[in-house]
Amino acid sequence: MANVPLSIGLVGITGHLLVIAREVDNPSVVAASLTFAPIHPATRNIVFTGLNPTTHYFDFRESPDGSALGVLIAQYVIDAKSNTTLFERRFYTVNGGGPVDPVPGTTIVDSYLAGKNIVGVFKEGFRYLKYGSEYSFSGSTVTYLGGITLEDGETAIIEISYTTTVSASSNTLFPKDVIPVTANATLGSTHWNNIVEVNGSATIVTLTVTDMLTVPNQTRICFNTHKGTQRYVAIQLPSGSYFVHKGQQRNIIWIGKNEELIAFKKDGFFYILSWTGDVNRVGEIVKSDMAPSNGISESGGWLGFNEYPRLFYWYVSTLDSSILGTGVSPTIPDAANRTKWIIDSVNQKFWLPDSGGYFDRNTDVDGNIDTDRGTTNNKPGNNQDDLIKSHSHLIPQGNSFTGTGASGRTGRGQVNPNDFNSGSTGGSETRPKNRNVNSYRIF
């Protein structure tokens, strides 16, 4: 077991001091707590005993009675095994009345921050701000930039790192090891700067980062999905933290089969350095003899938003509403809508187009050739019934007819001979020579 000594200045605290310890890997459970009644000394020294030798959160709260949670003052992330402080969070309430609580505006001034390594600034419930364009730090002052202001009652949070970032020389050791994962898991120090090799059997294997504070800056991580039968590997970051990929910020990403992703951590962000596989082809139509590893047959069917989240959230939900069909799960759409994407938000389902038996025809933008569609009905997914272009056949006839027709009628010397039908020829449809192919959508 481990003992953790702590010290905190209590200037301005008039209520009870409540300190709660929680393991980072199990943050919803209180591992231990201590309560101190006022009047408080300028600095309070305390010791937690009997903790598991793992990383803990230590929440310092001003409580009205010693049991109610009250107001969160500060939070530390400490490795109990080595008694090493990794990170600290400071909380400031605009017009909160505390000695360093800011007033509405753009600055927080706290002498405690002087000389500290500020690695994150954000408002409660919002994402991390970007250093240089959205906030700056000098001396003991944090300044909000780019039109961002502190409003009355808001809580601002500043993160301080006490860890040493990964050095350039140690970067050459990446990856240090291959860590296998077979089921849902919380990512931690075991995984940082390593390859996470997923070999799961669930439809979606979810890997979670519970707190970006526990991930040292300049950490790299690789996710490899060449093994296993999972459809996706979901990587979930805490609220306010994002993956950055091609200009997009995503709190959760989905990695398909046979893909590999490498990410680099800086403050509240994981910057994706490379991502190989089908990620850049989501929604694309593929013609193939066999299904791609991340492909589903374009043969119709209602799919759940969370069954194929990458296909829905990164492709279908971004389509212009004018190209979508109409329908409600689980009813099969009518012929006019069956070849289109359909979104049923009520039932959290979307329809995969059914292109079976259809030839593709390139869109005629100005409608000069595909005149039946024109320019108002030429959206992707719109279908046309089969049709023979209007035409006629000239059958030469004289003034007389001799012979026996199909109806048994005869004529001789008539000015207007009797009409007759030619025999039927051909098959069940009009078609050009063709070769059967399979169509798939990349998910």
Side-chain angles (χ1 to χ4, degrees):
M1 305 304 285
N3 299 331
V4 178
L6 298 167
S7 179
I8 186 172
L10 300 177
V11 177
I13 297 178
T14 58
H16 288 71
L17 175 64
L18 174 61
V19 188
I20 298 173
R22 300 174 293 128
E23 294 182 9
V24 167
D25 291 338
N26 194 15
S28 62
V29 177
V30 175
S33 64
L34 297 172
T35 304
F36 303 91
I39 302 174
H40 300 290
T43 300
R44 174 75 70 179
N45 297 312
I46 60 178
V47 178
F48 278 92
T49 61
L51 297 177
N52 287 329
T54 187
T55 305
H56 286 69
Y57 295 112
F58 292 90
D59 302 331
F60 288 78
R61 294 179 171 273
E62 183 175 9
S63 168
D65 56 11
S67 57
L69 292 179
V71 178
L72 185 60
I73 304 167
Q75 182 184 75
Y76 291 85
V77 180
I78 297 176
D79 182 351
K81 183 177 181 179
S82 62
N83 272 325
T84 302
T85 300
L86 305 177
F87 294 93
E88 175 186 1
R89 278 179 175 159
R90 304 280 290 183
F91 296 81
Y92 304 86
T93 302
V94 181
N95 276 341
V100 293
D101 281 334
V103 297
T106 60
T107 60
I108 296 174
V109 180
D110 184 355
S111 59
Y112 180 84
L113 301 176
K116 297 295 194 299
N117 180 23
I118 306 298
V119 296
V121 175
F122 61 98
K123 295 182 183 181
E124 190 172 47
F126 294 89
R127 65 170 175 81
Y128 284 79
L129 301 180
K130 296 179 181 179
Y131 180 78
S133 61
E134 294 178 327
Y135 82 93
S136 64
F137 173 63
S138 178
S140 58
T141 302
V142 171
T143 302
Y144 291 79
L145 306 173
I148 300 172
T149 59
L150 295 166
E151 305 296 335
D152 189 31
E154 288 185 323
T155 298
I157 302 169
I158 296 176
E159 293 182 349
I160 302 168
S161 173
Y162 296 98
T163 61
T164 302
T165 58
V166 180
S167 67
S169 60
S170 63
N171 277 345
T172 61
L173 298 177
F174 173 80
K176 297 182 294 185
D177 201 355
V178 177
I179 309 300
V181 173
T182 59
N184 295 348
T186 298
L187 297 174
S189 58
T190 303
H191 306 96
W192 309 144
N193 298 302
N194 288 318
I195 296 174
V196 177
E197 184 182 65
V198 183
N199 185 8
S201 58
T203 302
I204 300 178
V205 175
T206 302
L207 306 180
T208 305
V209 178
T210 57
D211 194 332
M212 292 290 278
L213 279 176
T214 63
V215 188
N217 275 336
Q218 299 184 26
T219 290
R220 287 189 286 180
I221 188 169
C222 173
F223 298 98
N224 183 291
T225 62
H226 290 272
K227 291 186 176 180
T229 59
Q230 70 280 341
R231 180 180 299 151
Y232 295 114
V233 175
I235 314 296
Q236 176 70 66
L237 298 183
S239 177
S241 298
Y242 299 93
F243 286 98
V244 180
H245 183 233
K246 293 191 172 182
Q248 297 286 326
Q249 294 184 0
R250 304 185 189 276
N251 180 250
I252 183 173
I253 59 172
W254 295 277
I255 307 173
K257 275 290 297 172
N258 296 320
E259 296 184 0
E260 187 169 84
L261 178 153
I262 299 176
F264 173 88
K265 192 264 185 180
K266 171 65 175 175
D267 299 339
F269 300 90
F270 268 111
Y271 293 87
I272 295 177
L273 304 180
S274 67
W275 192 342
T276 60
D278 289 329
V279 61
N280 296 320
R281 305 171 64 201
V282 173
E284 182 179 314
I285 299 174
V286 173
K287 309 287 187 180
S288 177
D289 294 329
M290 58 186 297
S293 56
N294 292 299
I296 183 172
S297 175
E298 195 178 55
S299 55
W302 289 104
L303 308 175
F305 290 3
N306 294 321
E307 292 177 308
Y308 290 85
R310 191 165 77 169
L311 177 58
F312 177 73
Y313 292 109
W314 294 6
Y315 182 74
V316 180
S317 67
T318 69
L319 296 174
D320 190 287
S321 60
S322 66
I323 73 173
L324 300 177
T326 57
V328 178
S329 171
T331 304
I332 302 299
D334 59 25
N337 290 283
R338 196 173 302 159
T339 54
K340 304 177 183 179
W341 295 101
I342 303 172
I343 298 176
D344 178 5
S345 298
V346 173
N347 294 304
Q348 299 285 287
K349 299 282 188 178
F350 66 101
W351 174 262
L352 177 71
D354 183 356
S355 62
Y358 284 93
F359 292 96
D360 291 335
R361 184 175 188 176
N362 287 346
T363 299
D364 181 14
V365 177
D366 48 21
N368 292 331
I369 297 175
D370 192 357
T371 55
D372 283 355
R373 277 197 175 99
T375 58
T376 59
N377 194 35
N378 62 349
K379 305 295 184 182
N382 284 356
N383 59 40
Q384 286 179 321
D385 287 333
D386 48 4
L387 185 68
I388 298 176
K389 187 173 183 178
S390 177
H391 66 285
S392 62
H393 296 275
L394 177 64
I395 301 177
Q397 300 182 80
N399 289 330
S400 65
F401 177 85
T402 302
T404 301
S407 60
R409 295 180 295 166
T410 62
R412 176 181 294 277
Q414 299 177 3
V415 176
N416 297 308
N418 294 316
D419 296 331
F420 64 95
N421 295 320
S422 65
S424 297
T425 185
S428 60
E429 62 179 355
T430 302
R431 62 174 181 250
K433 292 180 180 179
N434 65 84
R435 174 182 178 272
N436 204 54
V437 298
N438 298 324
S439 293
Y440 302 92
R441 289 279 184 165
I442 298 297
F443 60 75

